[in-house]
Amino acid sequence: MSINPGTPGNEPIEPHSGIPTLTLDPFEKAFLADPISHYSFLSDAGPVFFLRKYGIYGMARFASVKAALDDHETFCSGRGVGLSDFSKETPWRPASLLLETDPPEHDRARRIVNRIVSLTAIRHLTESWALTATSLVEELVSRKSVDLITDLAEVFPLRVFPDAIGIQKTGRENLLPYASATFNAFGPRNDLFDATNLIAAKSIEWVANSCKRQNLEDGGWGMAVHEAADRGECTEAEAERLVRSFLSAGVDTTVNGIGNMLYAFAQHPEQWQALRSNPSLIKKAFEESLRWLSTVQTFFRTTTRVVEVAGCRLPEGSKVLLFLGAANRDPRKWADAAMFKVERPLVGHVGFGSGIHACLGQMVARLEGELVLSALVRKVKSIRPIGPSVRRLNNTLLAFSSVPVEMERP
Ligand code: HEM
């Protein structure tokens, strides 16, 4: 199977009068390489704007983005959360039963997985994941230099998460290319899409096989989904698609969430010292890193009816690009929005989304991020960049491929 979303942007759509029209392309490389420098331009344009190149609407202010996320009846996900409109085009893969559905279908699927990814299940994993984080960090601090991405952010989640799902041990190197391709596929058919499409075919097949009952270990979250099928809560084919959601949404996101957090500390030595002198700030620090450098930069919605946003009319069937990363830096919402401050009070960023589609795995992501931070706080006195950080471009995610540093022991 190959990824093949359509690009509806060629149709001559004009915005309703009064809506600012922008010629900027949020999927071109220059934008993706530095989305943050465009945030003010986007949010200052108005509560809603029109992106001419794709014939779509966009929102970058916190208030509009949050309101759209919370109003799933008007801003639906069932027509796809990428540029492609599933009412006009066939999705490149069978649609996600969680991310790309609306109630009641969404809620039925969500109930099944919510019971599996429970607080009890997470508590059960904490001790062994903490040991893994500690031994990985111990191994790294003994080295002269470390790449925070390839040696830590890409390593820790892959040491713990696939075992929790219970997926086959061989072939796990397919997980990151698969997830990367999935997140690229939410954008248009650009170079990034083509590049990952070329490498993803094998990974897509491996992931599809990994989600089958016969390839899942007993006791893992994957098998627990199949057991829900045994109880008649979903079909066997739906169970495979739900397991796929863990693999599509739970790997690249945490790799980059942790990677962006580590980058934030490499750039802010004074915040590292603030955290070391008060480790009770670890929870806040991880949340602040998601706000400051949001892993998931954008997701789309589609309007189910004519809707007024701050006095502007959006027609039914409009694709709306929600800039979560920009919302998390909107100065209308956040004091000192551009500053990374580990002491910032925990108040509802949209880095995990909001409303009925809010991230299913946020407790997992928090656990991973906080365990890495807590191991580092105990073992590392300072983090010093020793070369330029390198961004990995993706149509949806903000990611790094390299953050080289020296870490000093206490
Ligand atoms: C730092 C890590 C993570 C970030 C930043 C993140 C971000 C997000 C965001 C923004 C959404 C909302 C999508 C929307 O509104 O359309 C979402 C949904 C979702 N996430 Fe995460 N995520 C992370 C980790 C995980 C993990 C570890 C898992 C799996 C255990 C996971 C599974 C999901 C699923 C299945 C959905 C769809 C939920 C639904 O539609 O009901 N995520 N995530």
Side-chain angles (χ1 to χ4, degrees), residues 252 282 290 307 367 398:
D252 214 10
I282 283 176
L290 277 166
V307 55
L367 179 63
L398 193 154

Side-chain angles (χ1 to χ4, degrees), residues 69 77 81 96 98-100 106 110 117 161 165 221 245-246 249-251 253-254 256-258 286 290 295-296 299-301 324 350-354 356-362 364-365 368:
L69 289 171
S77 295
V81 295
S96 162
L98 291 158
L99 190 70
E100 295 160 329
H106 168 268
R110 179 89 190 210
V117 187
F161 186 70
I165 307 299
W221 293 356
S245 285
F246 288 142
V251 183
T253 47
T254 43
N256 296 315
I258 293 170
F286 181 58
L290 277 166
T295 311
V296 175
F299 264 129
F300 284 85
R301 292 293 190 262
L324 309 184
V350 287
F352 285 122
S354 186
I356 64 164
H357 292 279
C359 181
L360 165 81
Q362 52 190 286
V364 180
E368 288 187 28

Side-chain angles (χ1 to χ4, degrees), residues 44 103 188 192 217 226 233 283 324:
D44 289 350
L192 288 169
E217 278 170 28
H226 282 276
E233 293 172 30
K283 272 187 194 309
L324 309 184

